[in-house]
């Protein structure tokens, strides 16, 4: 895993208070992408003092896992993951070299697999896809704190 702005050793986010990026080239690094998300959220809570709900922690890791998995599976070359804190939310952005935008398939309970994009779109506050001069960039936004007055995607309301 190659972290932008990171030296050798255990200083994960010491110099980056609101964002972190990493390049991934192999499927074995998907677990490292989830670890990066966990570390980033721990940093946000401990250093920035922002509340991070258990729901948000799980959703960010799920979104990172699904988007990085799709990039590694369907695009040649490396992918770039960026996590950025913006107004009480984490924007999870994944760039890859494949210019084709993915399409969420219609719900089909009999289908095995290929549900990742529809899951990501269901649990996020915001979702966007953009073609780039090379490849594409997918951004999903996850709210960090649960809003008890408003139903949130990915959370059941009693």
């Amino acid at each position: 895993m190659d972290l932008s702005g990171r030296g050798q050793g255990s200083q994960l986010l010491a110099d980056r208070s609101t964002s972190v990026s990493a390049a991934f080239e192999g499927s074995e690094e998907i677990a490292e992408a989830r670890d990066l998300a966990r570390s980033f959220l721990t940093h946000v809570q401990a250093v920035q003092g922002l509340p991070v709900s258990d729901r948000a922690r799980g959703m960010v890791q799920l979104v990172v896992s699904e988007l990085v998995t799709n990039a590694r599976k369907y695009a040649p070359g490396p992918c770039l993951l960026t996590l950025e804190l913006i107004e009480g939310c984490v924007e999870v952005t994944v760039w890859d070299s494949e210019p084709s935008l993915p399409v969420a398939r219609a719900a089909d309970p009999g289908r095995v697999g290929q549900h990742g994009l529809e899951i990501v779109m269901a649990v996020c506050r915001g979702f966007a896809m953009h073609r780039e001069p090379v490849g594409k960039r997918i951004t999903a936004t996850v709210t960090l704190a649960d809003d008890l007055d408003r139903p949130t995607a990915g959370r059941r309301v009693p």
Side-chain angles (χ1 to χ4, degrees):
M1 180 166 62
D2 176 29
L3 293 176
S4 298
R6 180 179 176 195
Q8 297 295 332
S10 62
Q11 295 179 339
L12 181 60
L13 299 169
D15 298 327
R16 302 186 68 96
S17 61
T18 59
S19 69
V20 67
S21 295
F24 298 96
E25 294 196 57
S27 60
E28 69 281 352
E29 294 179 327
I30 294 166
E32 290 182 42
R34 286 189 302 270
D35 291 343
L36 179 64
R38 251 188 317 275
S39 296
F40 180 72
L41 294 173
T42 297
H43 173 83
V44 163
Q45 193 162 20
V47 176
Q48 299 287 336
L50 294 175
V52 178
S53 71
D54 289 341
R55 178 205 52 83
R57 194 173 299 278
M59 290 303 112
V60 169
Q61 290 177 74
L62 172 67
V63 168
V64 164
S65 183
E66 291 295 336
L67 293 181
V68 172
T69 297
N70 285 350
R72 296 305 313 128
K73 186 173 181 179
Y74 298 111
C79 69
L80 177 66
L81 167 66
T82 301
L83 302 166
E84 186 172 10
L85 178 64
I86 299 176
E87 298 179 4
C89 297
V90 171
E91 280 195 357
V92 177
T93 302
V94 174
W95 170 89
D96 67 51
S97 62
E98 173 56 51
S100 300
L101 298 178
V103 177
R105 298 178 68 183
D108 178 359
R111 184 176 74 235
V112 176
Q114 297 186 345
H115 295 281
L117 189 58
E118 64 188 275
I119 291 169
V120 168
M121 293 171 75
V123 302
C124 291
R125 175 181 174 197
F127 182 83
M129 297 184 287
H130 302 283
R131 281 191 182 90
E132 298 285 324
V134 175
K136 69 177 167 299
R137 187 172 308 277
I138 298 176
T139 302
T141 305
V142 178
T143 305
L144 289 177
D146 291 337
D147 182 352
L148 300 177
D149 297 329
R150 182 175 63 112
T152 303
R155 180 171 60 94
R156 291 191 174 152
V157 177

